Every structure is written in structure tokens, then in C-alpha cells.
Amino acid sequence: MEQELLNEMKQVFTEKFGDKETRSFFSPGRVNLIGEHTDYNGGHVFPCAISLGTYALVADRDDNKSRLYSMNLADKGVVEFEMSGLKYDKAKDWANYPMGVVSVLEKAGYKCSHGFDIVINGTLPGGSGLSSSASIEVLTAVILNDAFKFGLDMVELVKFSQQAENQFVGVNCGIMDQFAVGMGKKDCAILLDCNTLEYRYSKIALKDASIVITNTNKPHSLASSAYNVRRAQCEHALNELKEVKSELNALGELSNEDYNKIAGHISEQLERQRARHAVYENNRTLEAVEALENDDVIKFGKLMNESHFSLRDDYDVTGENLDTLAELAWAQEGVIGSRMTGAGFGGCTVSLVKNSAIAAFKENVGKAYTEKIGYAPSFYVASIADGTHRIK
């Protein structure tokens, strides 16, 4: 499958840029099993890299120009840019993600001495909340690190990729997406403390179950104002809590009990709910990982469901499409747990489903969702993959 895809890319590369020697790279997408909207609140997340992602074929050029072509966005044609002094350019559309990485590296003293011809082909559905933007950012960082021997380790590349999205593209994302994409490990999820970047791998031994990603097919926009509003609400709530707990640096530092004692100091009811989600979701994530490591998959599934309730009721980021998918999943036989994953406002749910029930799950959920929403969802049975790498 992978080789066929690369062969097709090679053909397109030759059509667009001529017959040149190329190197190939893969950068996964990610799915977060639990721990949503905790990353920018200094809490824990539990994502894994998945086998869907972004492929690149890369050839060196002998000038300072790069030419990029995405097979997924053929209508955008070949996008060209210089490898220094870059500024965000709306007309360059998706290419702002790789441009951002080039720009932040240059500002940090890692200058690119030549450009590239690159063909991109992604197997991630766009706008699905599976981190196609982080996938392409970390992919670019790895390509540049490989070509120019910058000697940066993966955690540094991850940080530069996040910086590109924050400062160049202007999306206030946390570190989780880039970290999961870059640091992913086959058959493992990553328990990451977003405050300290301390992490450990946790083996996902689902035995007779699989991760099923269901796409609402309602695109979500991470740059949407709603995401940045949630961040601002949490920051404001944190500042009010600091008035009574001055040593507090992040909502993720609080236990549920500690939060309940001081929650009354948050003046706005809505901000109290947002902060409660951040605190409870963080502690729920730690509990869920412990359950999984104790082989208690049933408890893990229950906590996934509770995560969705909190995202729906306290954080208000689900909406009809995601709620419909989650509710339909909970009613299916063989479903261990199901919740929205990603920023919300569209995108995907992640469900743990017994292998024997996957066919019925797809059929029943697909039919009922289509009847209610008016169009069909898409299903992906994902395996857990390694992080961004050059394909040998």
C-alpha cells in the first residue's frame, strides 16, 4: 500500500518537477485518546500517532526557491516561496504551514542554504481534527533537519513546529499535536505533561479491540474564534484563582478537591465551567492511563465517555454532529468507550470497539447518523504508528 502510494507520487513528481533523485518521508496524524483542551491548561494528554498521515517526496534545488505541490489540493497548483525572510501570505494557503517552519528555524539561527521541490500526499481527511497541520509542520522540520544536518532532536523540532503554528500561522494551539506527531511510537500512546514536557510511553494492548475514528464530515476550523475564546476564558479563570492561590501556574496543577474549594473565586459562571473541565479532564486522564496500565479497559472506556460529557456540558465544544456520533456509539454492542477527539466544533470521534463488532458498528452508526444529519460519516480503523521519519 505504502509503496504503491509512493510510486504514484513519483509519477506526479516527474510530471511537475522533472526526473530527479528524491528522498521520501512520512509524518503521521494523531488521535487523542483522552485529555482534551488540557494541553494549553498545563495538564496531561494521552495521544498516539496513527497510520494515516502525510507523505513527502523531496529533491534538492541549487537555488533559494522551494516549489511545493499537494496531490490533495491539486487546484492550488504548485506553490513557490523563497527560503528566507518569509511572511504569512494568505494567497499561499496550506503552504503557510511549511513556510512557518522555515521562518521560525531561520529566526533561531538555522538558515536553509537552498530550496527544494516537494510533492505532498496526505491520507488524513482534511479538517477532521486529526492534526493534518501538525503533521505537515513536523514533516517540514524533519526534512530540513535531515537536509541541513542541523542536529536538532525531535523534541526541539516539535517545539519549532508549534511555534510556527502559533507565531506564523496565528493559531494558539498547545504542544500536544506536534508532540504526538513527532514523538509517536508504534503500539504506544504518550502520557504527556504539557506543563513540563515530561512524557512516558504506555503500551496500548487492546487485545480484541481496535481504535475506530469516525469523521462527522463537518469540517472544523482550529483557527476559529471559539477555540481562542476558550483559551482566554481559562486564562482569565486562572488569574482569578491566583488571587487566592498565588503559587498556581496552571489549572492542570489542581486536584478536583482543590478546585472545588476555590472555584467560587471565579466570578463568571461560564468561566467556572471552563476551568472545571480543564481540571477534571486532567485528573480523569491520569486515572484513565492508570486503568489501562492495570488492564482495566472497561474503566478506561467509561472515563472516555465522561470526557465527552464534560466537553459537551462544561466546555461546549461538541455540537450536534459529534454528540450524535458519540450517543450512537454508546448504544452499540461491543463499544468500550467513545468521545470526541481534537478541538471539537466538527471533526471526529474516537471509539474503542471490539473487533467482532466493528462491521455492525460502522453499519448501524453510519445509517442512523445519515438519517439524522443528512449526510454520511466516514470510518477509519487506525493502527498506532511511529512518529515522523525518513522512509528508508
Side-chain angles (χ1 to χ4, degrees), residues 342-370:
F345 318 108
C348 294
T349 58
V350 58
S351 308
L352 297 186
V353 186
K354 292 197 168 154
N355 293 333
S356 58
I358 289 175
F361 174 86
K362 287 182 181 175
E363 189 180 335
N364 297 342
V365 172
K367 185 168 179 284
Y369 179 87
T370 306

Side-chain angles (χ1 to χ4, degrees), residues 28-30 50-54 72-73 121-133 135 213-220 347-349 377-382:
R30 69 97 191 95
I50 55 174
S51 45
L52 302 167
T54 316
N72 309 94
L73 298 162
N121 192 2
T123 54
L124 284 165
S128 59
L130 300 176
S131 291
S132 50
S133 56
S135 181
I213 297 161
T214 311
N215 190 351
T216 60
N217 286 327
K218 177 194 180 198
H220 84 305
C348 294
T349 58
S378 309
F379 299 92
Y380 309 89
V381 180

Side-chain angles (χ1 to χ4, degrees), residues 79-359:
V79 185
E80 296 187 2
F81 56 84
E82 294 295 318
M83 293 295 280
S84 60
L86 286 165
K87 298 262 188 303
Y88 183 87
D89 181 351
K90 200 176 174 198
K92 298 213 187 310
D93 198 66
W94 68 273
N96 281 290
Y97 293 106
M99 284 161 60
V101 176
V102 172
S103 174
V104 296
L105 281 168
E106 181 181 36
K107 284 177 179 160
Y110 298 98
K111 197 167 161 35
C112 302
S113 52
H114 64 77
F116 303 90
D117 287 333
I118 303 178
V119 165
I120 297 279
N121 192 2
T123 54
L124 284 165
S128 59
L130 300 176
S131 291
S132 50
S133 56
S135 181
I136 203 162
E137 287 155 1
V138 182
L139 177 70
T140 306
V142 167
I143 289 168
L144 299 177
N145 197 41
D146 178 74
F148 299 116
K149 307 287 182 276
F150 289 148
L152 294 163
D153 67 28
M154 187 58 88
V155 174
E156 290 172 298
L157 296 177
V158 158
K159 287 179 181 171
F160 280 123
S161 299
Q162 183 204 10
Q163 214 181 319
E165 188 145 347
N166 290 172
Q167 294 169 13
F168 192 90
V169 181
V171 176
N172 234 344
C173 67
I175 190 79
M176 173 183 68
D177 293 354
Q178 291 81 3
F179 199 96
V181 163
M183 298 294 289
K185 188 173 171 183
K186 191 169 164 45
D187 298 330
C188 292
I190 308 168
L191 179 64
L192 170 66
D193 181 336
C194 298
N195 221 5
T196 61
L197 288 196
E198 283 176 26
Y199 68 96
R200 64 181 166 87
Y201 293 104
S202 183
K203 195 98 175 127
I204 301 288
L206 293 175
K207 297 186 182 96
D208 58 347
S210 294
I211 294 169
V212 180
I213 297 161
T214 311
N215 190 351
T216 60
N217 286 327
K218 177 194 180 198
H220 84 305
S221 168
L222 191 57
S224 70
S225 56
Y227 176 87
N228 289 336
V229 166
R230 296 301 180 287
R231 284 198 72 144
Q233 287 168 330
C234 287
E235 277 162 30
H236 192 252
L238 174 66
N239 287 333
E240 289 194 323
L241 293 180
K242 279 181 176 175
E243 290 168 15
V244 289
K245 200 173 170 68
S246 57
E247 71 279 14
L248 188 65
N249 295 309
L251 293 171
E253 292 172 7
L254 292 167
S255 69
N256 294 355
E257 295 71 30
D258 286 346
Y259 172 73
N260 292 336
K261 279 178 199 156
I262 59 175
H265 292 279
I266 302 169
S267 50
E268 293 277 329
Q269 170 60 30
L270 195 60
E271 290 187 356
R272 216 174 297 157
Q273 284 174 237
R274 303 297 191 244
R276 180 171 61 198
H277 167 76
V279 172
Y280 274 60
E281 179 78 350
N282 179 48
N283 294 313
R284 188 165 28 241
T285 301
L286 295 171
E287 201 185 332
V289 174
E290 190 186 346
L292 202 60
E293 289 175 347
N294 291 330
D295 272 347
D296 192 346
V297 180
I298 301 304
K299 185 177 180 185
F300 186 88
K302 188 169 161 285
L303 290 162
M304 284 176 78
N305 298 347
E306 285 175 18
S307 168
H308 188 91
F309 303 151
S310 181
L311 288 156
R312 179 189 67 194
D313 302 335
D314 274 347
Y315 223 63
D316 190 23
V317 291
T318 55
E320 186 188 17
N321 298 64
L322 287 166
D323 287 337
T324 300
L325 280 183
E327 285 157 21
L328 290 169
W330 297 329
Q332 300 305 309
E333 212 166 299
V335 172
I336 298 160
S338 186
R339 60 183 284 278
M340 63 151 268
T341 184
F345 318 108
C348 294
T349 58
V350 58
S351 308
L352 297 186
V353 186
K354 292 197 168 154
N355 293 333
S356 58
I358 289 175

